[in-house]
Amino acid sequence: MTMSDTAELALAAARAADAKGGTDILVVDVGDILAICDVFLIVSGRNTRQVRAIADEIEEQLWLGSDRRPLASEGRDAHRWVLIDYGDLVVHVFLDTERDFYRLDRLYGDAPRIDFVPAGPPVSPS
């Protein structure tokens, strides 16, 4: 996969996370820093149920949209930090408190960001 393909995959995952109410969605190009993958998607959920829903939605949408299944997945038991490994893309779905504790945002703070604009809440008709 090219970096462009990986970025598109990450943005599809970000849209899926946004659709389930994920917050603080961050897409980070870590290809020049890490040898294990090209892009991190970091997203937060308010509670363990939402973390599970976000992780499930990402997996479903990437399967439906690009025929991709994860190579591995960790953290499904507690749903505090679910890591979904697609090889070139690694998704981190955090419970808010876990994200604050592990601070991946700061650890990779110098890495380039891939622009993602959340859809936001639906606009109700007047």
Side-chain angles (χ1 to χ4, degrees), residues 80-81 92 94-108:
R80 298 181 63 78
W81 176 2
H92 301 271
F94 283 103
L95 191 61
D96 284 331
T97 54
E98 298 296 306
R99 185 170 179 173
D100 290 343
F101 180 79
Y102 288 103
R103 302 168 72 174
L104 286 187
D105 307 62
R106 291 198 52 193
L107 185 61
Y108 296 100

Side-chain angles (χ1 to χ4, degrees), residues 68-81:
R68 295 282 302 266
R69 290 269 189 217
L71 302 172
S73 182
E74 299 287 334
R76 291 278 187 178
D77 294 336
H79 294 101
R80 298 181 63 78
W81 176 2

Side-chain angles (χ1 to χ4, degrees), residues 3 28-42 83 85 87-92 104 107-108 111-112:
M3 180 55 187
V28 185
D29 178 351
V30 294
D32 290 338
I33 299 169
L34 298 175
I36 59 169
C37 69
D38 294 324
V39 177
F40 274 178
L41 170 63
I42 304 170
L83 183 144
D85 182 359
D88 49 348
L89 166 66
V90 175
V91 176
H92 301 271
L104 286 187
L107 185 61
Y108 296 100

Side-chain angles (χ1 to χ4, degrees), residues 6-17 27 39 41 62 89 114-117:
T6 303
E8 285 304 316
L9 187 70
L11 291 172
R15 287 188 294 274
V27 185
V39 177
L41 170 63
L62 294 189
L89 166 66
I114 297 171
D115 290 335
F116 172 72
V117 179

Side-chain angles (χ1 to χ4, degrees), residues 43-98:
V43 59
S44 295
R46 292 180 310 276
N47 54 53
T48 57
R49 250 180 106 181
Q50 187 180 33
V51 167
R52 178 181 352 170
I54 292 167
D56 289 347
E57 184 71 6
I58 289 169
E59 285 191 23
E60 182 176 346
Q61 292 306 312
L62 294 189
W63 170 247
L64 294 173
S66 60
D67 205 29
R68 295 282 302 266
R69 290 269 189 217
L71 302 172
S73 182
E74 299 287 334
R76 291 278 187 178
D77 294 336
H79 294 101
R80 298 181 63 78
W81 176 2
V82 176
L83 183 144
I84 310 168
D85 182 359
Y86 286 93
D88 49 348
L89 166 66
V90 175
V91 176
H92 301 271
V93 184
F94 283 103
L95 191 61
D96 284 331
T97 54
E98 298 296 306

